[in-house]
Amino acid sequence: MSLSSEEVERYARQIVLRGVGGPGQNKLKAARVLVVGAGGLGSPALLYLAGAGVGTLGIVDDDVVALSNLHRQVIHGTGDVGQLKTESAAEAIRRINPHVAVEPIALRLDAENARGLVARFDVVLDGSDNFATRYALSDACYFERRPLVSAALGEFDGTLTTLKPYETGPDGRPNPTYRCLFPVSPEPGTIPTCAEAGVLGALGGVLGSLMALEAIRVLVGGFGDGDEGLVGRLLMIDARAMRFETLRYGWDDANPLSGGRASSAALAAPRLRER
């Protein structure tokens, strides 16, 4: 796959980076990235992935744009209220970069359809807002051997990690799964929604941009010497203290995916143990 003269000019400031170059830019052009959720996290991630020249962006969301979304879901505008988020996001991406193909997927991802969706893409970003979707998506990426960039947003805090459990780490053990980090789902109602607790739009912008950065890192194969992504590391952001910290975590032999013996059907959301 080669770049046109217009693409070379468009991505010139990115191509000159030693960690990207022409080969890296061609990898981005050939890539297919799935973003689950066109909301507070998915919006900035989609904007930067489109700007970076990712060849195909799939967008999964079954919701419509509401006025209360607009302070944080920056891919949508006032005129998009009432429109499907997938269509609104697709229109914005086409305005930003006509070289990017968009696949709007207006449905709710669940344990039944997740593997079929994930299998069609190279990298997956989880910008969803509920645990059922997060577990279904992370399990699907595990079984389909797809890298997953997963983020979560709180009132004044957020987290981000990258998952590649189908590969081994420097110690020879498998890289951890989402279920190694979060073995069980919180009981329904214990974690307030953003409508109940509130959310800072700018914090979603920070995390969504970092999601795009991690996806680009995965697609180009790293940024050279000193590169260390977030596989096996959880980035935690505290906006009140303006503090960024990372926590290392590893493969848990007790997790339900241990040894690859589990089936995707056995891990469907209704079987999740809650406390």
Side-chain angles (χ1 to χ4, degrees):
M1 185 170 290
S2 60
L3 301 171
S4 67
S5 58
E6 182 182 328
E7 288 174 300
V8 170
E9 182 177 357
R10 177 183 289 268
Y11 309 127
R13 302 300 183 272
Q14 190 163 272
I15 292 172
V16 297
L17 291 168
R18 285 179 293 175
V20 180
Q25 192 63 53
N26 274 301
K27 289 178 181 177
L28 293 175
K29 181 176 180 177
R32 293 174 52 81
V33 174
L34 180 67
V35 178
V36 179
L41 295 168
S43 287
L46 285 163
L47 292 173
Y48 277 105
L49 290 172
V54 171
T56 302
L57 290 172
I59 311 169
V60 176
D61 202 306
D62 67 339
D63 202 2
V64 298
V65 179
L67 193 60
S68 61
N69 298 150
L70 300 184
H71 86 290
R72 66 193 185 282
Q73 300 183 18
V74 292
I75 204 166
H76 313 296
T78 304
D80 300 318
V81 171
Q83 186 178 12
L84 282 169
K85 288 184 180 179
T86 50
E87 293 299 334
S88 171
E91 290 173 6
I93 290 167
R94 294 181 187 117
R95 288 195 300 270
I96 292 166
N97 193 344
H99 300 287
V100 176
V102 188
E103 296 184 11
I105 306 169
L107 54 75
R108 189 173 187 83
L109 185 141
D110 58 29
E112 298 299 320
N113 59 30
R115 287 189 66 174
L117 290 171
V118 163
R120 296 162 42 198
F121 294 86
D122 303 310
V123 176
V124 180
L125 277 64
D126 182 5
S128 63
D129 61 358
N130 67 88
F131 284 97
T133 300
R134 290 173 190 162
Y135 281 97
L137 185 58
S138 65
D139 289 345
C141 288
Y142 172 85
F143 287 111
E144 296 297 329
R145 301 174 65 85
R146 295 295 190 271
L148 173 64
V149 180
S150 181
L153 191 60
E155 298 171 53
F156 294 96
D157 59 273
T159 59
L160 174 68
T161 192
T162 299
L163 300 149
K164 290 185 176 182
Y166 51 86
E167 294 180 355
T168 56
D171 60 358
R173 289 170 59 82
N175 289 325
T177 70
Y178 187 82
R179 289 176 181 267
C180 296
L181 183 59
F182 301 111
V184 294
S185 174
E187 179 145 1
T190 59
I191 307 294
T193 66
C194 66
E196 297 167 334
V199 62
L200 276 176
L203 182 57
V206 171
L207 274 165
S209 299
L210 288 171
M211 292 177 78
L213 181 61
E214 277 296 284
I216 293 168
R217 183 197 309 277
V218 171
L219 289 168
V220 303
F223 298 139
D225 295 341
D227 180 84
E228 184 180 14
L230 288 175
V231 175
R233 302 168 68 216
L234 180 70
L235 174 66
M236 299 173 289
I237 301 175
D238 180 348
R240 285 194 177 98
M242 195 49 73
R243 185 171 61 235
F244 288 63
E245 297 179 341
T246 54
L247 169 72
R248 291 193 179 273
Y249 65 100
W251 174 267
D252 180 4
D253 288 329
N255 88 80
L257 298 170
S258 179
R261 294 184 297 272
S263 69
S264 56
L267 291 166
R271 291 241 4 224
L272 292 175
R273 182 169 61 88
E274 298 179 339
R275 62 182 179 190

